[in-house]
């Protein structure tokens, strides 16, 4: 039986991965949120941003939204170092320009890097085998 609850297939990486979960809030403005969503569509996101994400070693990135709250899941190889990768990402072409533009929509300090904007979440439950 089909329900209205959405589900999403997980990408298989054929290697062990680790996951980072981060959150960020958007400004409470429906027009800004609609534009933020549009700017993250496959047709609108800047190719340099996607290339930079891949270049620093991120295997998969998903962003989910509920009202003004964003939740990002990042999957990487086990030897990935978040701080080193984010420092590198901040230096790549158009990355800071993208971050400055996205800050229009986000509740963040102007001039923040991606690593400064997206706050880490703590896993408080895990369904063990």
């Amino acid at each position: 039986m089909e329900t209205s609850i959405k589900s999403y297939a997980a990408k298989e990486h054929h290697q062990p991965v680790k996951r980072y979960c981060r959150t960020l809030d958007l400004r409470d403005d429906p027009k800004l949120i609609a534009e933020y969503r549009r700017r993250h569509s496959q047709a609108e996101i800047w190719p340099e941003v996607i290339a930079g994400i891949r270049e620093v070693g991120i295997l998969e990135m998903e962003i989910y939204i509920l009202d003004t709250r964003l939740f990002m899941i990042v999957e990487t190889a086990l030897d990935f170092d978040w701080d080193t990768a984010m420092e590198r990402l901040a230096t790549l072409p158009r990355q800071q320009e993208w971050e400055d533009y996205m800050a229009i929509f986000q509740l963040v300090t102007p001039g923040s890097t991606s690593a400064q904007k997206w706050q880490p979440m703590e896993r408080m439950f895990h369904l063990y085998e």
Side-chain angles (χ1 to χ4, degrees), residues 8 27-28 37 78 86 95 100-101 106 120 125:
Y8 306 92
R27 298 180 189 284
D28 192 5
R37 292 173 82 105
L78 293 179
M86 292 303 105
Q95 184 64 37
D100 291 344
Y101 179 52
Q106 303 163 336
F125 174 79

Side-chain angles (χ1 to χ4, degrees), residues 48-57 85-98:
E48 298 91 345
V49 170
I50 298 299
I53 289 167
R54 295 278 184 223
E55 185 176 324
V56 301
M86 292 303 105
E87 286 174 17
R88 172 88 176 106
L89 183 64
T91 69
L92 295 178
R94 299 199 76 193
Q95 184 64 37
Q96 193 57 50
E97 181 184 353
W98 174 261

Side-chain angles (χ1 to χ4, degrees), residues 3-80:
T3 69
S4 62
I5 298 173
K6 293 192 179 243
S7 63
Y8 306 92
K11 183 177 179 180
E12 290 187 32
H13 300 291
H14 304 291
Q15 68 182 32
V17 298
K18 59 184 172 181
R19 180 179 299 141
Y20 296 87
C21 299
R22 303 184 75 87
T23 190
L24 182 149
D25 290 319
L26 297 176
R27 298 180 189 284
D28 192 5
D29 179 324
K31 288 181 182 176
L32 286 178
I33 292 171
E35 181 65 8
Y36 188 82
R37 292 173 82 105
R38 188 176 76 78
R39 291 297 177 176
H40 281 80
S41 71
Q42 291 291 339
E44 294 290 328
I45 195 161
W46 299 352
E48 298 91 345
V49 170
I50 298 299
I53 289 167
R54 295 278 184 223
E55 185 176 324
V56 301
I58 293 172
L59 301 172
E60 183 63 84
M61 178 184 288
E62 298 176 318
I63 299 175
Y64 295 84
I65 187 168
L66 176 64
D67 300 321
T68 60
R69 171 64 47 102
L70 299 176
F71 174 60
M72 179 171 66
I73 302 170
V74 175
E75 293 179 345
T76 69
L78 293 179
D79 63 351
F80 181 88

